[in-house]
Amino acid sequence: MRRSLLASLSFLVFITGMQELVPQKNVLEGISFKFNEGVPSFKGDTLSFISFGYPHLITNLLWLRFLQATPTTKVPKGETSWIYYDLNTILDLDPYFLPAVHQGGIFLSIITEDKEGARLLFEKGTRLFPNDWRTRAYLAYHYDWELGNKAKAGENYLIGSKLPNAPIILGLLAARFSADQNNMDAGIAVLDDLIQQTKNPLAREHFLKKRKALEHGRQR
């Protein structure tokens, strides 16, 4: 067992080193993202094959890379970051790793502004965790305030309000949203939850600024 673990680690280091030395194509064949240049990316099925039965070891390594190596620079408009691909691969290998959805999705949404990557990750999260109301609320917020899609935001607030243990506020938001798609109370309520839940100081600062702006707009 120990030999297999060491072999898995050695092989991963070897593959990573080869990708650093030899130019590699992006995870998506034929598509180039400038934000991703020089960063080795892996597909979930590839890593599963070379994990030698230890997929959680691989997900831990990718999660450490997310925690320690993710830049806070903004992703150019129309591009999708390697951060999203890492988080997506983590969920492919470990579909029960909820922090990849919550923390990862928030980071993509408001720190790097990888709007498409965040949408894809939150959408995947709702499929993997269909009864998690918070994932659905985060997706609704992302549709509303980051993508400007009011209809999709209201739809997801409504779905979230019907999930187990969902707070009453989600039902109120869904009702208000259907009556007033520009309702700022919805955004403020979700921001309050995000401010309370996030462990990232940069994210918290962003949420506080956005909440202040929404509060100012509501008082006009």
Side-chain angles (χ1 to χ4, degrees):
M1 178 176 179
R2 186 174 181 180
R3 289 182 179 178
S4 297
L5 180 59
L6 290 174
S8 178
L9 277 171
S10 299
F11 196 65
L12 179 61
V13 170
F14 170 75
I15 292 297
T16 304
M18 289 298 294
Q19 289 214 357
E20 291 285 357
L21 293 173
V22 181
Q24 299 290 315
K25 291 184 178 180
N26 196 278
V27 171
L28 294 182
E29 185 75 20
I31 299 179
S32 175
F33 302 108
K34 293 180 181 179
F35 187 87
N36 300 321
E37 290 179 358
V39 179
S41 299
F42 301 92
K43 289 184 178 180
D45 54 357
T46 300
L47 288 182
S48 180
F49 176 74
I50 68 174
S51 69
F52 296 97
Y54 295 93
H56 292 293
L57 172 64
I58 306 298
T59 58
N60 287 339
L61 291 174
L62 291 177
W63 186 243
L64 282 175
R65 179 158 84 161
F66 167 72
L67 295 176
Q68 297 178 358
T70 46
T72 56
T73 53
K74 307 301 182 185
V75 176
K77 186 176 181 179
E79 296 186 8
T80 306
S81 68
W82 64 264
I83 306 167
Y84 159 71
Y85 294 116
D86 268 15
L87 294 168
N88 185 60
T89 297
I90 288 173
L91 291 173
D92 284 342
L93 295 173
D94 185 359
Y96 299 103
F97 195 71
L98 187 58
V101 177
H102 286 179
Q103 297 179 41
I106 289 171
F107 190 92
L108 291 174
S109 177
I110 58 91
I111 300 297
T112 62
E113 296 184 5
D114 183 349
K115 299 184 185 300
E116 181 63 8
R119 182 190 69 80
L120 291 171
L121 197 71
F122 282 137
E123 290 278 12
K124 186 168 188 171
T126 61
R127 295 192 297 272
L128 293 175
F129 305 96
N131 291 322
D132 181 51
W133 66 264
R134 183 166 278 115
T135 297
R136 186 66 68 169
Y138 290 175
L139 175 61
Y141 171 85
H142 185 69
Y143 267 124
D144 186 9
W145 298 103
E146 302 300 332
L147 297 178
N149 190 329
K150 305 296 183 182
K152 293 293 289 186
E155 174 187 323
N156 281 281
Y157 279 130
L158 180 60
I159 295 173
S161 70
K162 299 177 181 179
L163 296 179
N165 302 314
I168 295 176
I169 186 64
L170 275 188
L172 297 175
L173 291 178
R176 292 178 182 177
F177 217 90
S178 62
D180 177 13
Q181 291 191 347
N182 292 314
N183 179 20
M184 294 183 182
D185 289 341
I188 290 174
V190 177
L191 281 169
D192 285 339
D193 184 74
L194 288 168
I195 291 167
Q196 182 179 1
Q197 294 297 323
T198 186
K199 299 177 181 179
N200 187 307
L202 290 175
R204 183 176 291 106
E205 181 181 355
H206 175 93
F207 292 141
L208 286 169
K209 287 181 179 179
K210 182 160 285 192
R211 190 193 191 285
K212 184 176 181 180
L214 291 182
E215 189 71 44
H216 178 73
R218 185 171 62 175
Q219 292 174 356
R220 284 185 173 181

